[in-house]
Amino acid sequence: MSTLAEITDALVAQLVADVDETTGTWSPCWRRFTSLPSNALTGNPYQGGNTIALWAAQVGHGYERPLWATYRQWAELGGQVTKGERSTRCVKWVVKETDDPKKPKLLPSVFHLFNVAQQQGWEPPVVEPLVHDDVVAAALAHLRAVPYTSIVGEPAYAPGADVVMMPPDEAFTSSEALCAILAHELAHWTGHPSRLHRDMSGRFGSDAYAGEELVAEISSCITAATLGVDPGPLRQDHAIYLQHWLRVLKADSSLLFTAAAAAQKATEHLLAYSATAFDTVSPPTLEPSLV
């Protein structure tokens, strides 16, 4: 078994362990944070599957802060990794040249990170907390800047019509809930052929449909964490995908990193917009939708 397979298998096993067998509820690691794991030296956030791996490690070990660095980077910061501490393995993709210069290979390379709680000698700078209402308002404004076409309806995205359906704002219990659900539907929106062109052809119950839902689920949480808002618990209407997700991930754990990479691209696409969102339009004829 390759090292990448070992990492993904262990990560999927931890996700499976997060299921409460008594209640049947699931609280995956990506739904527990309002900030991204980042490098203590560079300040850069980690991406894709590494975000999931570090969130999972933070949950599993009870680390309070999402700050990470390699052994050498902690030394550069003036810290020292505590003796006996075990690293969290992450993966970067290294380009390898092939006989065809237009088709280079991407090979996984493992690197090891330690949380700030695993070192001594360095203290993170004190950061003044932002006003909660300002953070949520800014997050919603950023999402509303995406040029999507919307109609009033239960939360869903119709790929053929390229329309996002959302209830009126007042139907939500909080602005954070509105942000989280809108981020999910907009993640689906990025998969349209005119944008990131993901496979949106899967029907309800198929692996393709479950895979697209997993991409949107992870993307919405990465988007929320990037914007500093709480993604909240897993939506009840999405809990029906739980067993399908777990079955698919158990069968091929590499799909988690694939889904996380697609989710990262979806988030980056959404947050690249700065134009004002389009007004609500009259309802077109809709086909079966992604929710």
Side-chain angles (χ1 to χ4, degrees):
M1 181 183 289
S2 69
T3 303
L4 178 58
E6 291 175 356
I7 293 172
T8 52
D9 284 351
L11 185 51
V12 169
Q14 185 169 341
L15 292 175
V16 172
D18 286 337
V19 178
D20 187 325
E21 295 183 359
T22 303
T23 62
T25 57
W26 188 37
S27 181
C29 60
W30 52 76
R31 283 202 164 266
R32 304 190 189 189
F33 298 98
T34 58
S35 60
L36 295 170
S38 60
N39 185 276
L41 179 63
T42 67
N44 295 330
Y46 292 96
Q47 298 187 329
N50 290 333
T51 298
I52 306 303
L54 294 173
W55 272 340
Q58 195 173 342
V59 170
H61 296 285
Y63 299 140
E64 293 183 5
R65 297 187 181 97
L67 294 173
W68 301 82
T70 64
Y71 189 95
R72 288 184 178 180
Q73 286 176 325
W74 283 125
E76 189 173 342
L77 284 166
Q80 173 64 51
V81 174
T82 306
K83 186 176 181 180
E85 291 288 347
R86 299 186 66 179
S87 67
T88 296
R89 294 182 296 178
C90 289
V91 178
K92 62 181 177 181
W93 296 90
V94 179
V95 177
K96 181 180 179 182
E97 299 298 331
T98 64
D99 294 337
D100 185 348
K102 294 182 179 180
K103 295 181 179 179
K105 268 188 176 180
L106 285 177
L107 299 178
S109 175
V110 175
F111 63 101
H112 300 260
L113 294 174
F114 296 89
N115 186 267
V116 62
Q118 296 177 279
Q119 60 83 46
Q120 298 175 332
W122 182 82
E123 287 293 329
V126 176
V127 178
E128 202 61 37
L130 299 173
V131 178
H132 174 267
D133 290 346
D134 291 346
V135 172
V136 177
L140 186 56
H142 206 138
L143 293 175
R144 287 271 166 77
V146 177
Y148 64 98
T149 302
S150 66
I151 62 172
V152 175
E154 289 301 307
Y157 171 66
D162 193 20
V163 167
V164 172
M165 290 174 280
M166 287 286 289
D169 290 1
E170 56 270 21
F172 292 90
T173 56
S174 68
S175 295
E176 287 174 306
L178 170 57
C179 284
I181 292 176
L182 180 56
H184 179 100
E185 304 309 337
L186 289 180
H188 283 312
W189 177 87
T190 66
H192 190 268
S194 66
R195 291 179 280 275
L196 299 182
H197 203 176
R198 292 192 304 273
D199 179 9
M200 312 285 281
S201 63
R203 295 301 178 185
F204 182 80
S206 68
D207 286 356
Y209 190 99
E212 170 60 22
E213 286 296 340
L214 186 59
V215 170
E217 158 68 11
I218 295 175
S219 174
S220 66
C221 295
I222 293 177
T223 299
T226 302
L227 298 175
V229 297
D230 185 352
L234 186 67
R235 280 166 52 183
Q236 286 302 307
D237 58 332
H238 287 168
I240 58 175
Y241 304 126
L242 173 57
Q243 293 304 321
H244 200 152
W245 284 339
L246 295 180
R247 179 177 63 78
V248 170
L249 290 175
K250 285 179 183 178
D252 183 359
S253 59
S254 68
L255 291 177
L256 180 60
F257 266 63
T258 302
Q264 181 73 47
K265 289 180 180 179
T267 291
E268 290 173 355
H269 185 94
L270 290 176
L271 298 184
Y273 288 102
S274 59
T276 302
F278 291 161
D279 293 332
T280 299
V281 298
S282 300
T285 301
L286 300 178
E287 64 175 358
S289 57
L290 292 158
V291 298

